[in-house]
Amino acid sequence: MAITKETKIEKIEVVGEHKLVQVATDTVIKEDGTEISRSRHRHVKHPDDDISSEDAEVQAVCNAVWTDDVKAAYKTFKDNQTL
């Protein structure tokens, strides 16, 4: 009886005015090749986040959509927030 665990990115979405990148990662547990469990983790990356530890596919999406204009607009948005 072989049990394996696989983690894979299931979805990458770009949402909203500031091009936030939502990442859905599934962890799949299989027994003898048959899936017996699946769980999903989601996280969001913002234009001012460090993405160096993200999967290459996530980095590519972030780098494609986070233009200098998007980053500047996000910075302005954050600077104008009141606490």
Side-chain angles (χ1 to χ4, degrees):
M1 184 173 7
I3 295 190
T4 60
K5 177 180 174 182
E6 176 182 300
T7 302
K8 59 184 177 177
I9 294 175
E10 283 295 323
K11 187 183 288 189
I12 302 172
E13 298 175 302
V14 178
V15 297
E17 173 184 354
H18 300 294
K19 308 293 187 221
L20 305 183
V21 176
Q22 297 183 141
V23 182
T25 305
D26 282 3
T27 300
V28 180
I29 307 296
K30 293 181 179 180
E31 181 177 350
D32 296 329
T34 302
E35 182 177 319
I36 60 172
S37 174
R38 177 181 294 256
S39 61
R40 178 161 284 182
H41 170 78
R42 293 179 181 269
H43 67 280
V44 178
K45 302 308 290 182
H46 300 84
D48 61 349
D49 287 345
D50 175 15
I51 58 170
S52 61
S53 64
E54 291 293 325
D55 182 86
E57 187 176 7
V58 174
Q59 288 183 28
V61 171
C62 292
N63 289 329
V65 298
W66 292 346
T67 63
D68 289 340
D69 289 342
V70 169
K71 289 178 182 180
Y74 185 69
K75 181 180 181 335
T76 300
F77 167 76
K78 281 186 61 178
D79 289 347
N80 289 324
Q81 296 299 301
T82 57
L83 297 177

